[in-house]
Amino acid sequence: MEITIHHFYPNLLNTYGDIGNILALKKRCKDRNIDVNINNIKIGDDISLNIGDIVFIGGGQDFEQSLVVDDLLSKKEILKNFIEDNGCVLAICGGYQLLGKSYTTQNGDIIEGLDILNIYTVASEVRKTGNIIIKNEETGETYVGFENHSGNTYINDHTPLGKCLIGFGNNGEDSYEGVTYKNTICTYMHGPLLPKNRELTDRLISNCLKLKYEDFIELDDIDSTYEDNCKNSLLNRFDIK
């Protein structure tokens, strides 16, 4: 088996170690003898997404987001169809914001989003920085990470990725963090996210393979000692079971 990961703008949207999410996907695939192809997408590149691929969009500052937005808008219909057809997407911070309707900067400039998700973001003067721990109310899973953003994102009728146990989350007001929509996961959690949260890593891989191979049933168990120790060290620091 093999999967293809389309990494959007790795030279521009890669703050706070977001490339680690790609490394985590590759590592846990390699341990299961699943081949991984990485397609780094730059501004101006043509793209072709197939159901069974994974799309990854990392975070960036306002300036970097302004650089990629026109190119991203030119790929809107391809990305929208991919998401609506249950394609697997992981979007972090700036990538998360750009999937929504708009991002209003601190200067009042409005960056148009892809309008795939019914969300919008407004920059605030309060920078939300620190460790973050959330609990997914559907799966009961707990995820850990690090947030560093000034944007306040409002997710309207979307389902959050989790409820904040520690940290600010989407906007520091409603105690929720991120969005899940079909097979798309959006979050402000850097750290990076996936190495510390193997459940999400494996879910992305599993959902991808289910779409691509009719005979795929489930992932093989692999040693996760290192990943679990990373997560537990933060949970223990905040006395969260």
Side-chain angles (χ1 to χ4, degrees):
M1 292 186 287
E2 66 174 15
I3 64 173
T4 296
I5 302 173
H6 301 276
H7 187 180
F8 278 67
Y9 318 118
N11 57 330
L12 293 171
L13 301 184
N14 183 34
T15 55
Y16 315 125
D18 284 342
I19 187 69
N21 293 302
I22 300 291
L23 299 178
L25 287 165
K26 289 175 65 176
K27 173 69 167 56
R28 292 186 73 81
C29 283
K30 180 182 178 182
D31 289 351
R32 296 176 168 111
N33 294 315
I34 300 169
D35 294 328
V36 176
N37 305 308
I38 305 295
N39 178 30
N40 290 321
I41 297 173
K42 304 183 296 298
I43 290 175
D45 285 352
D46 293 327
I47 62 169
S48 176
L49 306 178
N50 298 306
I51 296 303
D53 296 345
I54 295 176
V55 164
F56 174 69
I57 311 175
Q61 304 299 322
D62 290 358
F63 176 70
E64 285 78 12
Q65 286 185 230
S66 68
L67 292 180
V68 306
V69 66
D70 285 344
D71 189 75
L72 204 54
L73 285 168
S74 73
K75 300 172 170 61
K76 173 180 175 177
E77 289 306 313
I78 296 174
L79 278 167
K80 182 176 182 179
N81 290 337
F82 183 75
I83 288 173
E84 293 297 336
D85 288 342
N86 290 310
C88 299
V89 175
L90 175 62
I92 308 290
C93 198
Y96 169 22
Q97 296 167 351
L98 288 170
L99 291 182
K101 292 179 175 296
S102 63
Y103 172 67
T104 303
T105 70
Q106 289 189 0
N107 295 328
D109 297 329
I110 297 177
I111 299 175
E112 181 183 359
L114 297 184
D115 197 15
I116 297 174
L117 301 178
N118 182 27
I119 66 173
Y120 68 96
T121 302
V122 179
S124 73
E125 295 182 355
V126 178
R127 190 141 198 102
K128 291 165 275 292
T129 305
N131 291 303
I132 178 169
I133 302 174
I134 66 173
K135 185 167 187 175
N136 184 290
E137 296 179 319
E138 179 179 353
T139 65
E141 295 170 348
T142 303
Y143 310 132
V144 306
F146 189 86
E147 60 183 332
N148 188 354
H149 61 103
S150 62
N152 287 345
T153 296
Y154 300 92
I155 66 171
N156 295 311
D157 55 351
H158 279 295
T159 302
L161 176 61
K163 187 173 181 62
C164 293
L165 304 178
I166 300 291
F168 298 95
N170 283 329
N171 49 53
E173 300 169 16
D174 59 18
S175 299
Y176 287 110
E177 155 58 26
V179 159
T180 60
Y181 176 70
K182 297 192 173 185
N183 282 329
T184 292
I185 299 171
C186 299
T187 181
Y188 275 114
M189 298 174 78
H190 295 282
L193 172 72
L194 295 184
K196 296 177 181 176
N197 299 284
R198 63 179 175 88
E199 304 93 334
L200 290 173
T201 316
D202 287 352
R203 186 161 302 125
L204 279 168
I205 297 170
S206 179
N207 287 342
C208 164
L209 295 176
K210 285 178 183 174
L211 291 167
K212 190 167 186 176
Y213 298 99
E214 291 183 357
D215 58 346
F216 172 77
I217 299 175
E218 62 183 3
L219 294 174
D220 296 334
D221 288 333
I222 57 175
D223 179 31
S224 302
T225 302
Y226 185 75
E227 292 89 337
D228 290 346
N229 285 344
C230 285
K231 171 180 283 190
N232 290 334
S233 68
L234 191 60
L235 294 178
N236 291 337
R237 188 188 307 176
F238 290 95
D239 196 26
I240 292 176
K241 305 300 181 185

